Amino acid sequence: MTDTLNPRSWLYPTPRGLYCEPGDFYVDPAVAVGRAVITHGHGDHARPGHRSALATPETLAIMRARFQDMPDTAQQPLKYGEEVKIGDVSVSLVPAGHILGSAQAVLEHKGQRIVVSGDYKRRPDATCPPFEPVPCDVFITEATFALPVFHHPSDVGEAAKLLRSVATFPERTHLVGVYALGKCQRVITLLRAAGYDKRIWLHGALASLCKLYEDNGIALGDTALVSDAILETFRGAIVLCPPSAMADRWSRRFADPIPAMASGWMGVRARARQRGAELPLIISDHADWSELTQTLKDVGAPKVWVTHGREEALVAYARSIGIDAEALHLGGREEEDES
Amino acid sequence: MQAFARLLDSLSFQPARNAKLRLIEAYLRETPDPDRGWALAALTGGLDFAAAKPALLRSFGQEKIGEELFGLSYDYVGDLAETLALIWETKADAGPPPTLSEVVETLQRATKTQTPAILKRWLDELDSTGRWALLKLLTGALRIGVSARLAKQAVANIGDQPVAEVEEVWHGLSTPYRPLFDWLTAGGPKPASNMGGAFLSPMLANPIDRAEIDTLDPAHFRAEWKWDGIRVQIASSGGTKRLYSRAGEDVSGAFPDIVEAIDFEGVFDGELLVRREEAIAPFNDLQQRLNRKTVTAKMLKEHPAHVRLYDVLWLDGEDLRALTFDERRARLEAWMGEHPRARFDVSPLVRFTDWAHLATLREEMRQDGIEGLMLKRSDSPYLAGRPKGPWFKWKRDPMLADCVMMYAQRGHGKRSSFYSDYTFGAWRDAAEGKRELAPVGKAYFGFTDEELRWLDKWVRDHTTNRFGPVREVEQQLVLEVAFDGVARSTRHKSGVSLRFPRINRIRTDKPAAEADTVDNLLRLVP
Ligand SMILES: [Zn+2]
Ligand SMILES: [Zn+2]
């Protein structure tokens, strides 16, 4: 490690995304580029059309499922813990604990190490290996839930809340809004772990990614498509759908449904009401405030760049504990849907 | 406290009345005494702590995470109690969280200077939902959309009793209501129905129209004017004097002029009005007296309250409810005749020969403060609830206006996938000789299911803008709105407010430019 080299001289934001000059590649670029390193399969990180894409095998599989097989992209799978050299930079991928295949990109150049965390969380998730803190010189952290008001409760407790509601209203359909990639499969595994072994019904938009998870060894139990049901009344059933389908005409087939929504935003009541949730489930695939602040301590980086969300509060906190922190403004990142 | 917090949390997100009932019932069944009694007290407005002021919460928050981070957090959340509940973390080595009874009993004993330290200990012990509920309870701001009446209905349901039975004994009970739960869930004796100002469920009428009236025999019915005020019950006995709304809410505090004038014992059914000299003031005048914490001397002088009596339920220790309408009426008139009172009078009967005659009287009545007619069977006993058959209300024909839809919002429960709440406007003059729409009201019923599907599709196809659950629509669709009255209003941008508006017809045949103006509506103000 050296302190003479300015990290901004070899990794910096450009309009197309975060660019690594000595390797001539971008990390999670916002547009199609020549060479890309992709942390995970969510839409604001993985885009189609790159000439070559390096990612974990699971992330590449997710991208193929979403982008019609990507025949024009040279795909370079890199397993967790393996290392490759790109130009004058060595690149490895380390679990981020966010969704299946999600990784932190660890970049080393002239003895200096920068970790691009991508999206991450620190609590157990049956659908992916846990986040591994990597000591580094610069840590680039996400900040989706970077306010001290976000302390996600235990996901086991939230699953129990859903099952308690099903027991209280056994004649009503529980319609749970989940994002198709990650949240959907995590909610299913949480319900299974809580002992719920009945059939879980799926909106068609969730089918292909559920199958992909199962192909990757994540058991989801008995699931079926709502559109395949013939005699089903859905009374007392749990039905998962994308949030957009909840207010859609599609949802009218259910008698007197209870709209539930699984998202980290549900922790704030006004947000939950805005989404029309009558049963908000605070289940997040992103780190909450304590996980974010703990991670800064765990990686021990003297410099932290904050991006992807509410930079202001986390920068203020990091500076208060003596870290040289600043906001890193990347284009193409609105408040993301997969939270 | 955690179980109660989970209940409040679920209630706050659940809009449907039946679902709220189910949640409260489940809680009351599963929770032991005295916790469930205190919970019932909290839900019926019987707990009043105000032990924590906003300044205290703010100072707790700033102390915890610093001024800057607390400021950012509060800005984001927008609610002080919720912000503090969210930023505070449960201490790993804290003791078990307090029960609801512990919270209530401790606060009843604690001095003001002891409270902050106790509060901090509880915040350490509770989870975030528990902290939110505690802080809401302590700042006296539950706001979870549960009326006292609904909570009483839930407690009645767990003992398979009609709510009227619970209401009858309610005011003789004190917190935490152990005898009530013994009676309802453990086969204990029914608590004494202390008639000391207890609320008795009122008898309500069903709406009727001209065609249906013709099927009734006019000889069996009595008619009286339906006054446009607030239906109330006066209950006085053993020195306890109370004024209740139709739903059983004690509104005595807002009407000291009425309560002071009660110099008799009994339970009466009547209409609360503002009356100056002989004239009944418009409903709007009465509204000035409502929802006020303190009643000023000026308000009492300028908006004097009056109760026009319809019926008598108890008189001088005697329950009259099983008597016929005619018999009760005779008792009421005789009682008032003995001793006339300034703030009370008896609503006169309207004499008529046949229905056509009554219809003419209804048409000709143009006086303010009358909403229509009540028809009551001469032999009807006074029954709680809304029995079918004995009592009818025959309202005046509504007023109508053609308005233009401006915004639509998704409904709740069954309607949550439909745009079913409509804000509509009327035209008024704007700058440079142009006209603009000013919102005059909001309606979410009056249409059929089929019309709702049509309106929902129209909204989706004509959206110009979205704000969360609200859509702004093209100013094209004319809705014929029916309403029962118009008043000037400073709270509405247009300066008018409509009473009880509902969608009467969809006027696809009418161009928006030909809809009514705000001036047209103002001309209808009495
Ligand atoms: Zn993501
Ligand atoms: Zn993201």
Side-chain angles (χ1 to χ4, degrees), chain B residues 44-55:
Chain B
T44 52
L47 280 186
D48 187 14
F49 291 124
K53 296 262 177 298

Side-chain angles (χ1 to χ4, degrees), chain A residues 105-172:
Chain A
V106 178
L107 314 178
E108 284 190 54
H109 173 63
K110 293 188 175 162
Q112 193 169 57
R113 184 189 291 159
I114 304 183
V115 173
V116 187
S117 71
D119 295 338
Y120 66 95
K121 69 172 173 292
R122 301 297 303 273
R123 50 186 81 200
D125 177 345
T127 68
C128 58
F131 178 95
E132 287 173 23
V134 178
C136 53
D137 300 286
V138 180
F139 184 64
I140 304 183
T141 182
E142 64 138 314
T144 309
F145 290 109
L147 268 183
V149 297
F150 292 108
H151 292 285
H152 306 320
S154 119
D155 50 11
V156 174
E158 295 302 286
K161 183 162 144 192
L162 172 58
L163 293 178
R164 197 163 54 233
S165 179
V166 172
T168 309
F169 300 103
E171 77 292 0
R172 299 177 70 180

